[in-house]
Amino acid sequence: MAPKITFDLKARDGKARTGVISTPRGDIRTPAFMPVGTAATVKAMMPESVRETGADILLGNTYHLMLRPTAERIDRLGGLHKFMNWDRPILTDSGGFQVMSLAGLRKLTEKGVTFKSHIDGSKHELTPERSMEIQRLLGSDIVMCFDECPALPATRDRIAESMRLSMRWAERSKQAFGDRPGHALFGIMQGGLEQDLREESAEALKNIGFDGYAVGGLAVGEGQEAMFDCLDYAPDMLPEDKPRYLMGVGKPDDIVGAVARGIDMMDCVLPSRSGRTGQAFTRHGVVNIKNARHADDPRPLDENCSCPACSKYSRAYLHHVFRSNEMISGMLLTWHNLHYFQDIMAGMREAIAAGTFETWQKDFHDQRAQGDIEPL
């Protein structure tokens, strides 16, 4: 019998927590940042390079993979892990968010969503049952319930109606998921910025019972202050002994603020997307490598970083390859950004375990407030 996925909380400091999610494919140290491998690849990175940055788990995308190359094809070829050469845990999202944000004409009913592919206009239907089937074919270790995520701002009635539909879909997702030892199913809390709707959603999910719980429907345009206000109470509504995942977040200070409020897992396209557009996240804030001030600068991007971009190349070189549209630019900057995000996670895990999280947070914010090093 395949071993179960378990969560072991090791330490807390205030609301911040550190622990380990154990899976048959390896341990996930929390707080964990999951790089996004939308189409079975973290853009501009080799899987072994992603692992070298310190990532324990990747995120794959149900919507994109079901359209191309299709879940059935990936299954025939041995599953997503083998297909993309990543032998560690993978979490797949349910496809709900992308259907809402990317698909062409779509029709929402109690049964599910019918939509047109953004690739070729072909027609598809995604239901809780189909989402579970796709994620089973992909072979992901952590499966997300199929939900509907309304874009904010929305009226309270629209948020309530959407949340209740998502809870009915959560029930159907659980039934369709069935008994799959070695794989976990996470429920997704919805309810916008309405505290009572979040509470209602959390109660519904706890009654169904999941292996982990996500806070969904944030980082959709509400701003950091509103998101943090919601996170001041939302994670506390979820079971203490299960992982809590904040979907689609975020910038370095979003991540630190979320962990301070009791979140264990996060994912975001930001480190890779920013890397491809010449933006580097460093201890001293964001650096735009395209700026002319870097053209003659022999110094590294961040002298405290051990990634290849910082240990082997100068700002002048990174500026040059970006301006020349060379592929290596996106590769090096993405590697640096992912490395820096994993450094933040490792720093937080250490500080929470040592009971020094508050001091760590202060140092983190103070360093970033200094801004980038002076131009030469």
Side-chain angles (χ1 to χ4, degrees):
M1 175 129 164
K4 284 178 98 87
I5 290 184
T6 58
F7 180 47
D8 181 17
L9 261 178
K10 304 277 190 196
R12 330 153 177 256
D13 189 353
K15 284 189 181 183
R17 303 140 46 106
T18 182
V20 176
I21 302 169
S22 301
T23 84
R25 289 187 193 272
D27 289 347
I28 303 157
R29 299 161 294 172
T30 67
F33 179 80
M34 301 184 278
V36 177
T38 302
T41 171
V42 176
K43 287 184 174 61
M45 294 288 284
M46 299 287 282
E48 40 280 49
S49 313
V50 178
R51 178 67 183 137
E52 274 179 54
T53 67
D56 292 336
I57 175 171
L58 293 185
L59 183 137
N61 197 283
T62 291
Y63 170 85
H64 288 277
L65 295 170
M66 74 177 269
L67 295 178
R68 185 172 58 194
T70 75
E72 286 73 14
R73 177 169 286 150
I74 290 174
D75 179 45
R76 285 197 302 275
L77 293 166
L80 185 55
H81 297 83
K82 184 180 176 197
F83 187 59
M84 68 181 290
N85 185 32
W86 175 262
D87 62 2
R88 297 190 60 79
I90 294 175
L91 178 147
T92 42
D93 59 16
S94 69
F97 179 74
Q98 279 75 22
V99 168
M100 303 308 148
S101 58
L102 288 182
L105 297 166
R106 57 182 181 265
K107 186 172 174 230
L108 179 70
T109 65
E110 186 66 39
K111 185 184 176 196
V113 191
T114 46
F115 63 93
K116 283 190 174 170
S117 159
H118 74 288
I119 298 169
D120 59 9
S122 57
K123 204 171 165 194
H124 299 267
E125 182 178 47
L126 205 45
T127 63
E129 293 75 16
R130 176 66 178 141
S131 176
M132 294 305 103
E133 182 190 18
I134 291 166
Q135 294 181 76
R136 182 183 59 74
L137 290 167
L138 296 173
S140 54
D141 306 275
I142 300 177
V143 170
M144 299 305 297
C145 273
F146 188 56
D147 66 333
E148 197 226 344
C149 178
L152 298 182
T155 64
R156 182 185 158 86
D157 285 353
R158 168 79 183 92
I159 290 167
E161 181 193 354
S162 166
M163 180 272 288
R164 289 173 189 136
L165 175 65
S166 288
M167 295 309 99
R168 295 191 295 276
W169 284 0
E171 178 95 60
R172 283 166 55 194
S173 295
K174 169 92 186 254
Q175 284 175 348
F177 179 79
D179 183 24
R180 295 183 59 206
H183 299 265
L185 179 66
F186 280 25
I188 305 174
M189 174 210 268
Q190 292 289 356
L193 302 171
E194 311 284 337
Q195 188 163 348
D196 60 326
L197 296 181
R198 288 273 170 191
E199 182 75 68
E200 184 186 327
S201 179
E203 288 308 312
L205 293 173
K206 287 190 284 193
N207 287 335
I208 300 166
F210 291 97
D211 302 304
Y213 295 83
V215 179
L218 292 177
V220 287
E222 74 282 358
Q224 189 190 66
E225 194 183 338
M227 178 175 81
F228 281 173
D229 284 349
C230 180
L231 290 176
D232 282 336
Y233 57 77
D236 298 336
M237 296 172 173
L238 299 169
E240 276 277 293
D241 59 343
K242 299 283 195 237
R244 300 163 177 167
Y245 163 31
L246 177 60
M247 306 181 77
V249 170
K251 298 189 181 84
D253 50 336
D254 291 339
I255 288 173
V256 173
V259 169
R261 289 165 174 79
I263 292 294
D264 306 304
M265 304 166 73
M266 278 142 292
D267 76 280
C268 192
V269 296
L270 206 61
S272 45
R273 182 176 287 167
S274 298
R276 298 195 305 281
T277 56
Q279 269 200 332
F281 293 95
T282 75
R283 281 160 188 69
H284 300 296
V286 181
V287 173
N288 272 320
I289 206 66
K290 54 171 108 46
N291 292 351
R293 61 167 283 192
H294 305 297
D296 284 305
D297 199 332
R299 297 173 298 180
L301 202 48
D302 183 339
E303 74 275 9
N304 293 316
C305 176
S306 61
C307 85
C310 294
S311 55
K312 297 177 179 166
Y313 300 95
S314 64
R315 288 178 174 226
Y317 179 76
L318 295 171
H319 171 82
H320 159 69
V321 287
F322 181 80
R323 299 295 258 187
S324 308
N325 288 323
E326 289 294 344
M327 261 185 228
I328 196 173
S329 165
M331 292 157 67
L332 288 172
L333 291 179
T334 298
W335 193 323
H336 165 78
N337 284 343
L338 288 172
H339 183 105
Y340 174 58
F341 273 54
Q342 296 298 347
D343 268 2
I344 294 174
M345 306 322 282
M348 287 195 289
R349 290 193 294 262
E350 217 169 279
I352 295 164
T356 56
F357 185 57
E358 207 163 307
T359 311
W360 184 92
Q361 268 197 96
K362 187 183 179 313
D363 291 347
F364 167 83
H365 291 299
D366 288 350
Q367 266 194 316
R368 284 174 64 81
Q370 289 168 15
D372 191 21
I373 53 178
E374 290 291 320
L376 282 176

